[in-house]
Amino acid sequence: LGHLQIVLFKERLTMCGQYSFLENKKALLERYAGTELDSNLPEDEREVYYPSQNNLILLPNNKFYAIKWGFTPSFAKRPLINARLESILEKQTFIEPFKRKRCLIPATSFYEFKEVDSQEKKERWQIAVAGLDIFSIAGICERYENDDGSSTLTYSMLTKDSEGPMADIHHRVPVILNKQTEREYLNLNTDPNQLQETLLTLSIDLTFKQVTN
């Protein structure tokens, strides 16, 4: 894989449509002890990734795969890259993936755009987790059939209402896990209702840096 530099960017998409992973393969495997990389991962990692492209995702079998970002149900006009945690057990598209097909999205930071009344152009902010070089965002997976009869595994990123300094930038935030919650999240025997409550009340210390667009 060499130096992994995964930067997701598309301002027009809903929160969160941009994140980065700026660590190498050795650091990735050290951070997620006991995991391995799928042998079919592409060798030619690109510096810029967008929704609808394949990105590194950790599944409950403790293996990283290249999985396509964005659910593609037939009713959707564009890929569903986010799923709201507050209503995830009420939405037909997301309820089964949340119960049975959870995944971790490794990241070193994510980005959001802040609207400023006096400026036509939004401010771009880089947000990371304090004291943690690599962190996990909660994700869910689903497989969709293609026109040619094949199927594609996809993932979507969980978000929830933001609070504190993050709320000054954007009203939504990715659901970021601490290390203990990572294990609970990937354990598919964890009760989904209790898991939802845990994630809604989980608070993570974030750092903020304004960057150029």
Side-chain angles (χ1 to χ4, degrees), residues 1 36-43 56 62-66:
L1 288 178
E36 59 182 306
L37 301 171
D38 179 57
S39 60
N40 294 321
L41 286 177
E43 295 295 333
L56 278 176
N62 288 325
K63 185 177 286 190
F64 284 95
Y65 297 86

Side-chain angles (χ1 to χ4, degrees), residues 22-152:
L22 301 174
E23 288 287 355
N24 57 34
K25 178 176 66 174
K26 182 175 182 289
L28 178 73
L29 295 177
E30 287 178 350
R31 167 63 175 82
Y32 298 95
T35 62
E36 59 182 306
L37 301 171
D38 179 57
S39 60
N40 294 321
L41 286 177
E43 295 295 333
D44 55 339
E45 295 291 338
R46 290 160 291 173
E47 289 188 358
V48 179
Y49 284 75
Y50 294 91
S52 297
Q53 295 180 337
N54 293 332
N55 307 309
L56 278 176
I57 299 298
L58 181 61
L59 296 187
N61 65 353
N62 288 325
K63 185 177 286 190
F64 284 95
Y65 297 86
I67 299 178
K68 186 176 180 180
W69 189 11
F71 281 17
T72 55
S74 58
F75 66 82
K77 295 181 179 179
R78 63 188 185 191
L80 307 179
I81 65 170
N82 296 155
R84 294 176 63 93
L85 176 62
E86 294 88 345
S87 59
I88 202 164
L89 290 174
E90 304 166 10
K91 302 295 183 180
Q92 184 175 356
T93 301
F94 301 128
I95 183 171
E96 286 304 311
F98 182 67
K99 287 181 176 180
R100 312 183 196 282
K101 306 172 186 179
R102 298 189 293 270
C103 65
L104 298 185
I105 306 166
T108 54
S109 66
F110 66 94
Y111 298 84
E112 193 48 69
F113 291 83
K114 178 181 180 180
E115 293 186 0
V116 181
D117 292 338
S118 60
Q119 300 177 15
E120 181 178 348
K121 194 173 186 179
K122 297 179 181 179
E123 294 177 351
R124 181 172 176 241
W125 286 79
Q126 181 185 40
I127 302 111
V129 173
L132 199 59
D133 293 335
I134 301 174
F135 60 89
S136 297
I137 300 172
I140 51 176
C141 292
E142 187 58 283
R143 187 174 293 276
Y144 292 95
E145 297 297 323
N146 302 318
D147 293 338
D148 62 3
S150 64
S151 64
T152 300

